[in-house]
Amino acid sequence: MTAATATATAPLAPARRLGVVAGLRHTLTLAWRSLVQIKHNPMELLDLSIQPVMFVLLFTYVFGTAISGSPGEYLTFALPGIIVQNAFFATMTTGFGLNNDLTKGVFDRLRALPIARWAPLAGRILADTVKQAWSVSLLVSVGAILGFRLGNGLAGLLGAFALLLAFSLAAAWISVLVGVLVDEPDKVQIFGFMVIFPLTFTSNVFVPTDRMPGWLQNWVEINPVTILADALRGLLVGGPVAGPALQSVLWAVGIAAVFAPLAVRALRRRV
Amino acid sequence: MTYAIRAEGLVRRFGDTTALAGVDLAVPTGTVFGLLGPNGAGKTTTVRVLATLLTADEGHATVGGYDVRRDPHRVRQLIGLTGQYASVDETLTGTENLLLIGRLLGLGRAEARARAAELLTDFHLDDAAGRAAKTYSGGMRRRLDLAASLVGRPQVLFLDEPTTGLDPRSRNELWDIVRNLVADGVTVLLTTQYLEEADQLAGEIAVVDHGRVIAQGTPEELKAKTGGQVLAVRPVDPADVSTVVAVAGEVAGTVPEVAQSTVTVPVNDPGALPAVVRRLDDAGVAVAELALRGSSLDEVFLSLTGHRAEEDTPVNALERTPA
């Protein structure tokens, strides 16, 4: 063994605490790690890209005429909602990745390092936000090619992204909770499929509320997916923004208030 | 003498189960200390408490002079952890894994890269540096795990069952690495189920069972502790094993162990050997192998705990993090 492992070089007295700046640096490094993973697992990028694009293409051309009269009209109606649906699915990657780290032992290795306690989670969420941004850009670009026009220009797009981000950060806590509670990563995906699929379909993302049976309409109207989709329609296409946007923010705050403490408590118990 | 690790009366419960029932340890700086015990004995829980991953319900511990509960951040700056559970990221390459740790420890980009390259060379992972860790063999994985825990040049290294599941060659390689680290002045706390491993590496061994240290000393002291010797007899015809068991048992006064048609029994009386030979001869049993030897650590373990080290105890699952 050479100098590489010549350890025990007496270091300076170790610092007692960590600064916030150091914590942010750890967060960035850990976000880098999550993003580099994509390089080695191209399937993940396909997952992030193909599913949303496929949904846009299928719904626009298969259901478009039947629901809205023409694919073009339907695209305008559905694209904001498809962006919302995709964001819901994307939050599950946080729990999936976290569960992977917990079951594989990566999380313990990170916790034994002198880094900020919150950095592993924050780094993961930051990386997932970048992935989210990628999906939204992709969806808007594909939409544009198919004829979707932004009604409020760049400001509307940025506003939509900000709102989506706020909501995703709140919903990520649900994902973290699931990721901590289940014993293997695949179960996070099963949860996502079983809950997010019906949740996003029983909204006005794909079909206008008034085309559904009455009992279902009651639910659709209060479904946060509907509210967020309405807000995004307002921002991206045109129409009322303030009402649905405010309600979306309230939902986000509510979800975070309930699930963040639960998730943190579950994580503390598990590790 | 200075102690790199001290623990007094560590108690840790998981629900109704007591994983640690009062563990005391004192590991002198610059030595290898072996924590020996079966699955579920409390070895991993002990390491997790000392590595700041878990807080003890009672008792206290210091690592490098810092209290693990009051000063965890300082302790984390001194330690390295490699184990069954503290693992590298399988999706990253060897280089990326070490870069990640280096950057998290505050090394600059170039510095982290140099350190990663250095460690990969030392651990013979040069050729695999650019490959995802999930493509590595078991031995390569452990070497990368160990390299990852050495990025920060720790003073105290925790190795939790570092060779479990490795083939003998990889195991020997890992042992050599550990010996070199100690030569460089690192203090190593090693947990193992393998008595041979503790015997090979550790200057001092604590035998743990059911969350307690039940014996402690150098390997020689532990071997001497059982005092007696072991008589081993292997009959030519495996069908004679039961006869051998009966004879050896009667002479030694305890129930012998049988493994692959070799019968072993602890004996204290030097006259036992000729007595057994005579009686086997009378019984017409042809003997392929007959030996009287000092007790191995395996037998020490057996005599201390009443069960074999390799046995899985039912509490096995409890050492893992409860999901």
Side-chain angles (χ1 to χ4, degrees):
Chain A
M1 194 99 3
T2 64
T5 41
T7 36
T9 43
L12 304 170
R16 179 117 208 254
R17 296 210 176 281
L18 260 176
V20 176
V21 177
L24 290 174
R25 195 168 45 73
H26 302 148
T27 302
L28 284 176
T29 304
L30 287 161
W32 164 82
R33 171 221 163 193
S34 293
L35 293 174
V36 167
Q37 286 178 334
I38 297 178
K39 195 174 83 189
H40 300 294
N41 187 11
M43 284 306 292
E44 196 184 339
L45 192 64
L46 285 182
D47 221 34
L48 283 171
S49 315
I50 287 192
Q51 189 189 315
V53 172
M54 199 170 64
F55 265 61
V56 171
L57 292 174
L58 286 178
F59 274 89
T60 303
Y61 291 105
V62 176
F63 296 113
T65 310
I67 295 172
S68 297
S70 79
E73 295 241 335
Y74 185 69
L75 184 66
T76 304
F77 169 76
L79 189 64
I82 292 176
I83 292 173
V84 171
Q85 185 196 38
N86 186 65
F88 268 78
F89 276 114
T91 58
M92 277 299 134
T93 57
T94 305
F96 182 80
L98 178 65
N99 187 273
N100 222 354
D101 280 358
L102 286 167
T103 48
K104 297 271 170 67
V106 178
F107 204 75
D108 271 341
R109 166 160 323 268
L110 295 178
R111 288 201 321 131
L113 291 173
I115 60 172
R117 300 294 88 192
W118 44 269
L121 204 52
R124 184 158 285 294
I125 290 175
L126 179 62
D128 290 337
T129 305
V130 174
K131 294 177 191 171
Q132 186 84 264
W134 160 257
S135 294
V136 174
S137 325
L138 189 70
L139 281 168
V140 172
S141 307
V142 170
I145 293 170
L146 300 181
F148 184 83
R149 293 291 167 261
L150 291 173
N152 294 316
L154 190 62
L157 182 62
L158 291 179
F161 187 67
L163 190 61
L164 203 61
L165 201 61
F167 202 93
S168 300
L169 286 177
W173 289 112
I174 304 178
S175 179
V176 169
L177 180 65
V178 176
V180 173
L181 292 180
V182 300
D183 55 4
E184 51 187 289
D186 288 348
K187 289 189 184 159
V188 180
Q189 285 184 320
I190 294 169
F191 171 87
F193 190 80
M194 304 246 296
V195 173
I196 295 178
F197 240 92
L199 185 71
T200 53
F201 269 84
T202 56
S203 71
N204 71 1
V205 164
F206 297 107
V207 178
T209 314
D210 56 24
R211 302 280 184 88
M212 292 183 223
W215 58 269
L216 191 56
Q217 288 186 21
N218 295 331
W219 158 245
V220 169
E221 273 163 18
I222 55 163
N223 184 344
V225 179
T226 301
I227 292 161
L228 193 58
D230 280 342
L232 256 66
R233 283 192 188 102
L235 286 160
L236 295 175
V237 182
V241 171
L246 181 65
Q247 283 184 58
S248 302
V249 171
L250 287 177
W251 262 105
V253 170
I255 289 171
V258 172
F259 286 97
L262 287 176
V264 169
R265 205 179 62 154
L267 190 59
R268 286 236 168 95
R269 287 170 71 113
R270 171 146 179 182
V271 296
Chain B
M1 189 181 286
T2 63
Y3 292 96
I5 303 169
R6 293 207 81 138
E8 276 166 40
L10 293 182
V11 173
R12 171 70 203 206
R13 298 178 201 90
F14 293 109
D16 291 338
T17 316
T18 304
L20 300 183
V23 168
D24 301 309
L25 291 175
V27 181
T29 305
T31 63
V32 182
F33 191 92
L35 217 49
L36 177 66
N39 272 333
K43 306 187 298 292
T44 295
T45 307
T46 305
V47 168
R48 288 175 65 86
V49 168
L50 294 173
T52 76
L53 294 177
L54 200 65
T55 48
D57 297 324
E58 289 167 36
H60 58 93
T62 59
V63 172
Y66 296 111
D67 190 294
V68 292
R69 184 198 292 267
R70 283 200 307 271
D71 258 339
H73 185 64
R74 279 181 169 147
V75 170
R76 288 179 198 124
Q77 291 169 76
L78 304 177
I79 63 170
L81 174 64
T82 296
Q84 314 172 64
Y85 50 83
S87 168
V88 296
D89 183 336
E90 291 184 336
T91 54
L92 299 188
T93 65
T95 301
E96 285 163 351
N97 263 299
L98 300 187
L99 271 182
L100 171 69
I101 308 277
R103 297 287 285 156
L104 287 174
L105 290 172
L107 300 184
R109 217 176 283 271
E111 214 181 338
R113 199 160 275 285
R115 179 76 178 138
E118 200 176 15
L119 283 164
L120 288 166
T121 303
D122 272 0
F123 288 4
H124 310 295
L125 291 167
D126 279 312
D127 296 339
R131 264 169 37 205
K134 64 183 163 211
T135 67
Y136 285 21
S137 70
M140 291 162 75
R141 264 290 295 273
R142 296 299 168 88
R143 294 208 298 276
L144 182 61
D145 271 341
L146 191 51
S149 60
L150 294 174
V151 173
R153 303 177 199 273
Q155 296 175 18
V156 178
L157 185 64
F158 296 103
L159 297 177
D160 191 28
E161 304 205 4
T163 62
T164 301
L166 288 191
D167 60 74
R169 198 176 64 94
S170 307
R171 192 190 57 185
N172 284 325
E173 279 176 7
L174 217 87
W175 286 355
D176 283 340
I177 293 172
V178 174
R179 291 190 185 106
N180 284 320
L181 286 169
V182 178
D184 289 341
V186 181
T187 306
V188 177
L189 180 73
L190 167 92
T191 82
T192 182
Q193 305 182 49
Y194 303 128
L195 306 143
E196 191 197 352
E197 185 159 83
D199 201 2
Q200 284 279 337
L201 295 176
E204 179 111 352
I205 296 172
V207 182
V208 197
D209 198 37
H210 296 114
R212 271 178 216 286
V213 176
I214 55 170
Q216 189 173 332
T218 64
E220 290 67 36
E221 282 167 358
L222 287 179
K223 285 181 205 166
K225 215 164 199 168
T226 44
Q229 293 181 299
V230 173
L231 178 69
V233 185
R234 185 163 60 85
V236 172
D237 184 355
D240 287 331
V241 166
S242 56
T243 317
V244 175
V245 168
V247 169
E250 203 170 312
V251 172
T254 75
V255 182
E257 291 262 316
V258 183
Q260 285 143 15
S261 69
T262 299
V263 179
T264 53
V265 66
V267 290
N268 294 313
D269 173 12
L273 180 64
V276 168
V277 171
R278 213 164 31 238
R279 295 192 45 179
L280 287 177
D281 196 35
D282 289 348
V285 174
V287 173
E289 201 181 310
L290 182 81
L292 191 62
R293 51 181 169 76
S295 46
S296 73
L297 268 175
D298 275 287
E299 282 123 12
V300 173
F301 194 88
L302 181 64
S303 73
L304 286 170
T305 64
H307 57 91
R308 285 259 162 219
E310 291 78 8
E311 261 172 40
D312 268 22
T313 52
V315 273
N316 179 14
L318 292 164
E319 262 201 284
R320 317 270 341 153
T321 324

